[in-house]
Amino acid sequence: MGVSALNMSDMVANKRAQRKVWLAVALSVFTVAWGGNEFTPLLVFYRGEGFFSNLFIDLLLVFYAIGVAVGLLAAGPLSDRYGRRAVMLPAPLIAILGSALIASGEETAILIAIGRVLSGISVGMVMTAGGSWIKELSSSRFEPGVKTSAGAKRASMSLTGGFALGPALAGVMAQWLPLPGQLAYVLHIILTLILFPLLITAPETRQSAHLKTKGSFWSDVLVPSALDKRFLFVVAPIGPWVFGAAFTAYAVLPSQLRDMVSAPVAYSALIALVTLGSGFGIQQFGPQIMGTSKTRGPILAMFVTVIGMIGAVIVVMNPHPWWALVVCMALGLSYGLCMFMGLAETQNIAPPIDMAGLTGIFYCLTYVGMVFPALMTWLNQWLSYPFMLGFGAVMATICLIIVSFSARRF
């Protein structure tokens, strides 16, 4: 009886360990996302410091997006070829280096620019290798009875949780605590170092990576499943609105309202928290919203995007800090729905050999939206923000029409 009881205890412990194995990867994804996005509310801080031009500050978002694109396009095929661990383990360390350079570059353009690129590269690595690792750890092999949509939900919520909490705390620190240009990055470095040992315990899931692979790395980069019609006409139109909606909320709107609030950096952090908190909340219901329907999830994601962009036009025409928060909730819902639906569709389309590669392409599409603020700052020499955001609302409507038609057909 004693031996049987002991065996039963071991079985229960093993089951519990299996059910939590994905969490080790998710926590590292969370910390890297934290470091990548904590910079956002500090955009207001850097504008106030006056060391850099407004265009350069917005270009820092572009530098970050370039880093993300490099991380996504390289890390996806590499992790499909050589395994998730080989690509994922360096990502938190690269994120630490990025934060260190940004913290030391408050008045130095080259340091802060390189730091932003490195932050982007680390985020791209965890989005592809980390997201695919979470997806594969959320399978019946490691977690009996798990739902097929659990991987997409866990990956998107890990990212969104980091993207939300990082800027929220960074903005509060920069507004009211000493060392506003450094303290948030120091916190990120400490948090990453504490959680990094857990990542080392996660098991490899890409077993074929240990076998001889056919074809070159560049043939992997091409990712044949990217030509799937549903990916081209349903996922691709949704992709840019993930961060297109999010950065409209917490990069464009705060710049239009900073003279109307007494604590602009903290207000920017509040906007980021409301936006991404709304996205995080709606992602918990992503599987239920998607269900077995081929159309409901993608169409709802783009419909909410149209509403959010129209709301942004109204806010910049009639600025009000509290109404802006309501609009940011809508844009946050857009972010959350577009992220979850796009990722779930991508994971359904991709075969195992293309999982990280196609995920990387989807995430590259999402980061197209990060260029919007810098583009608007440059075009503002000739065009007004209401006009530019109105054009965005029209483009979102066109994407809604395309997705509505294509989701039924393909």
Side-chain angles (χ1 to χ4, degrees), residues 37-363:
N37 207 34
E38 66 182 339
F39 180 84
T40 306
L42 297 178
L43 291 170
V44 176
F45 166 74
Y46 290 120
R47 293 185 207 279
E49 290 290 285
F51 295 119
F52 311 118
S53 69
N54 286 340
L55 180 58
F56 177 77
I57 291 170
D58 282 334
L59 282 174
L60 289 171
L61 297 175
V62 178
F63 296 153
Y64 172 75
I66 291 171
V68 171
V70 171
L72 290 172
L73 294 176
L78 282 172
S79 74
D80 282 336
R81 194 172 184 85
Y82 299 112
R84 310 308 182 201
R85 286 173 58 85
V87 176
M88 183 64 187
L89 288 178
L93 305 179
I94 294 173
I96 286 174
L97 180 57
S99 285
L101 288 174
I102 297 170
S104 60
E106 182 181 345
E107 303 177 18
T108 309
I110 187 65
L111 288 180
I112 202 170
I114 294 173
R116 287 298 288 162
V117 172
L118 290 175
S119 292
I121 290 172
S122 65
V123 169
M125 293 169 74
V126 302
M127 291 175 96
T128 49
S132 298
W133 205 358
I134 292 171
K135 163 71 175 176
E136 290 159 356
L137 289 170
S138 301
S139 66
S140 57
R141 176 184 164 204
F142 295 95
E143 188 175 341
V146 68
K147 294 181 179 179
T148 55
S149 59
K153 177 180 175 181
R154 290 166 176 174
S156 62
M157 289 179 67
S158 301
L159 284 167
T160 302
F163 285 150
L165 290 179
L169 284 178
V172 171
M173 289 179 177
Q175 185 71 64
W176 289 299
L177 296 180
L179 300 175
Q182 290 81 38
L183 192 58
Y185 299 106
V186 172
L187 176 62
H188 166 249
I189 291 170
I190 293 171
L191 182 66
T192 303
L193 290 174
I194 290 172
L195 294 176
F196 181 72
L198 294 176
L199 182 64
I200 301 173
T201 66
E204 177 61 75
T205 55
R206 186 81 176 104
Q207 298 303 320
S208 61
H210 304 296
L211 305 177
K212 183 178 179 180
T213 55
K214 296 180 180 180
S216 67
F217 168 75
W218 296 110
S219 67
D220 291 345
V221 171
L222 295 176
V223 188
S225 56
L227 299 178
D228 183 275
K229 288 182 179 179
R230 189 166 179 89
F231 185 82
L232 291 174
F233 295 104
V234 177
V235 177
I238 290 175
W241 294 104
V242 172
F243 291 111
F247 273 76
T248 295
Y250 56 72
V252 175
L253 295 186
S255 69
Q256 303 298 301
L257 297 166
R258 67 178 183 270
D259 295 332
M260 301 182 67
V261 294
S262 59
V265 180
Y267 178 73
S268 180
L270 177 62
I271 280 185
L273 181 62
V274 168
T275 302
L276 293 167
S278 300
F280 183 87
I282 197 65
Q283 284 172 350
Q284 297 188 61
F285 303 100
Q288 290 83 356
I289 294 171
M290 196 171 193
T292 57
S293 172
K294 293 176 59 180
T295 60
R296 184 168 57 220
I299 291 174
L300 179 61
M302 284 312 307
F303 177 77
V304 174
T305 302
V306 172
I307 299 300
M309 292 303 297
I310 292 173
V313 175
I314 295 172
V315 165
V316 295
M317 291 180 67
N318 303 280
H320 192 287
W322 293 113
W323 281 115
L325 292 177
V326 175
V327 171
C328 287
M329 288 182 65
L331 290 169
L333 293 174
S334 166
Y335 159 85
L337 287 168
C338 288
M339 174 72 87
F340 176 83
M341 299 304 166
L343 186 57
E345 290 279 355
T346 298
Q347 292 183 347
N348 286 335
I349 292 167
I353 196 171
D354 279 355
M355 179 65 71
L358 192 62
T359 301
I361 292 175
F362 166 67
Y363 280 134

